[in-house]
Amino acid sequence: MSLNGDWRERAATVAGRLADALFAPPAAKPGGDRASSDQRWRGQSLAAGAAGVAVLHGIRARAGIGDWATVDAWLIAATREELSAGTGAGLWFGAPALAFALATAAAPGRYRSARQHLDTAVANMIERRLAAANGRINAGQRPERAEYDLVRGLTGLGAHLLTSRPDAEQLRRILAYLVRLSEPLPTSGTVGLTLPGWWNGDLPVGASVDAFADGHADLGMAHGIAGPLALLALAYRRGIVVPGHLDALNRMCDWLDSWRQDSPTGPWWPEKITLSELTAGRPVQAGPGRASWCYGTPGLARAQQLAAIALTDMARQERAEAALAGCLSNPAQLVQFVDPTLCHGWAGLLTTVHRAAADARFHPLGNHLPALTDQLLGSLDAAEPASRWPPGLIEGTAGIAAVLHSLTIDTTATWETALLLGLPQT
């Protein structure tokens, strides 16, 4: 795919400006022996903190347009406080986040002892999480989203292993768990209904207790079934296959098919399905939300495109690409953006389309990249980026810069495995 020079040059210029604004980490705050949760979040977070900024500077250093000393400074900032390896830790925060940052950002040969220490901590986490998850399935109980999702759950830990240790036996065991997750739950008290294995009892933030009293199914990439679907598909493309792998892909895809909503501007999917909606066979959500990576059509379409490629299902791939193309031509979805960041905003849409375009066979998705880049650049106040957003990768300035940088280099970026958008480099 050939990128037009003008917007490519603009993207490179702004990426450099944003990276320069994150040249040096803030000084450590003097204080007590124990760090506040806010301090820990700002350090060991891919989403909003120093670990995510280290990833940005690492990919720029690998491309020869940054320096390793800056990477080291941000990695040191990320490790000022005691690392979290408890229930709140996952790919985007804590020991796994720093392990991912070292795998994707550190100079070759650096931090070998730290990597080994983190690998051990993450491996122990995975063992505990797998034992609890499989025990929960054996007992016929519902999961919590944090058991399996990308942000904190086993899908995110699997994404890290796919990036750093694709030959690890633990990765295969995570994939085997996701196969089990795809199988229906026991349906006591719900005669005539089949609950998917990822039907959870969580109460989403701001949601009505009554509406979600009987649980729900989350469809999104960040917290829902699209994340496990994408990881299974990416692993399959990498040649990492477990028993029941294709069956799980088909079950997840079939379920998403059942909740696909067609409209004159193209198909879309609801964010969540409650028991009352499952009983009625239709969602309460009246139309598509914003075109974000985390819950919107782009992330769901990319996950299904990846699954279709793994399944060699050309009809499914065409439908997925058509859904993404329709979204990009629908102002009602695009107008809902309120920020430029990766998770919720223009940067996430742009990088999703960039990666989907590289695999597209039926729709020229790459033709949208110049206009989407203009939309992202137009949404920025590049003069004071750090004052408007957190510094990190998923929710902040570093992620915007990483997307613009990846457009100019136009290679498959290892860091994007944190969003399950593509295969890591080999």
Side-chain angles (χ1 to χ4, degrees):
M1 177 176 58
S2 176
L3 300 181
N4 177 275
D6 289 341
W7 65 272
R8 179 174 179 155
E9 290 172 8
R10 289 181 62 208
T13 298
V14 176
R17 189 182 307 161
L18 295 174
D20 288 345
L22 296 171
F23 175 73
K29 293 183 179 180
D33 293 331
R34 291 181 67 89
S36 69
S37 60
D38 181 66
Q39 285 175 303
R40 296 177 81 190
W41 176 251
R42 291 186 179 278
Q44 55 196 274
S45 168
L46 281 185
V53 182
V55 171
L56 165 66
H57 289 297
I59 63 176
R60 289 175 64 80
R62 288 177 189 274
I65 52 177
D67 66 88
W68 293 110
T70 305
V71 180
D72 291 342
W74 282 97
L75 287 173
I76 291 169
T79 57
R80 285 174 182 160
E81 314 300 342
E82 181 181 355
L83 287 175
S84 173
T87 57
L91 177 61
W92 290 9
F93 173 72
L98 187 60
F100 184 87
L102 285 175
T104 56
R110 293 274 284 160
Y111 303 108
R112 288 180 180 173
S113 176
R115 290 189 196 202
Q116 291 173 354
H117 174 75
L118 285 166
D119 283 348
T120 298
V122 173
N124 290 338
M125 281 181 57
I126 292 173
E127 286 301 314
R128 294 193 300 270
R129 303 275 181 95
L130 281 172
N134 283 308
R136 190 269 309 163
I137 293 175
N138 292 340
Q141 299 172 344
R142 298 176 187 173
E144 295 181 358
R145 286 178 296 175
E147 174 188 292
Y148 64 80
D149 74 6
L150 175 63
V151 178
R152 294 196 323 186
L154 284 161
T155 293
L157 297 176
H160 166 59
L161 292 180
L162 185 62
T163 302
S164 62
R165 299 174 56 212
D167 58 344
E169 179 60 24
Q170 279 191 328
L171 175 57
R172 299 180 63 85
R173 290 169 58 203
I174 289 173
L175 299 176
Y177 152 74
L178 293 178
V179 171
R180 296 192 73 191
L181 183 74
S182 75
E183 296 169 352
L185 282 171
T187 55
S188 58
T190 53
V191 177
L193 294 177
T194 299
L195 298 178
W198 56 92
W199 191 270
N200 68 84
D202 298 359
L203 179 64
V205 176
S208 163
V209 174
D210 292 340
F212 288 85
D214 296 306
H216 74 282
D218 191 305
L219 280 71
M221 282 284 274
H223 297 292
I225 198 56
L229 175 66
L231 177 62
L232 283 166
L234 290 170
Y236 193 90
R237 290 183 70 180
R238 189 75 178 264
I240 306 167
V241 183
V242 297
H245 206 129
L246 294 181
D247 291 337
L249 287 172
N250 277 309
R251 277 192 292 270
M252 293 174 180
C253 285
D254 289 346
W255 200 85
L256 289 174
D257 285 347
S258 70
W259 291 102
R260 172 184 169 130
Q261 307 297 304
D262 293 313
S263 75
T265 56
W268 58 275
W269 288 264
E271 293 186 2
K272 302 173 181 69
I273 296 297
T274 65
L275 187 63
S276 62
E277 292 171 313
L278 186 68
T279 302
R282 61 181 182 276
V284 171
Q285 186 176 329
R290 66 187 173 200
S292 60
W293 161 83
C294 55
Y295 273 105
T297 301
L300 282 157
R302 175 57 172 163
Q304 291 173 85
Q305 182 196 37
L306 290 169
I309 294 169
L311 294 166
T312 61
D313 185 338
M314 296 296 102
R316 181 174 297 282
Q317 184 172 349
E318 196 283 330
R319 291 196 300 272
E321 292 172 11
L324 183 51
C327 164
L328 298 174
S329 302
N330 182 5
Q333 294 188 56
L334 301 181
V335 76
Q336 297 183 56
F337 280 134
V338 295
D339 68 57
T341 61
L342 263 175
C343 190
H344 307 109
W346 287 109
L349 174 61
L350 177 57
T351 198
T352 301
V353 174
H354 187 204
R355 295 310 167 202
D359 286 325
R361 298 186 60 175
F362 301 97
H363 291 269
L365 298 174
N367 291 347
H368 295 274
L369 292 175
L372 291 173
T373 303
D374 286 342
Q375 290 278 10
L376 173 57
L377 295 178
S379 72
L380 293 172
D381 176 8
E384 295 181 328
S387 67
R388 293 192 57 183
W389 311 290
L393 189 73
I394 310 297
E395 298 176 358
T397 305
I400 301 167
V403 169
L404 293 172
H405 167 85
S406 295
L407 277 176
T408 66
I409 301 300
D410 202 27
T411 59
T412 301
T414 300
W415 70 268
E416 289 176 335
T417 313
L419 301 170
L420 292 174
L421 289 175
L423 285 169
Q425 293 171 329
T426 56

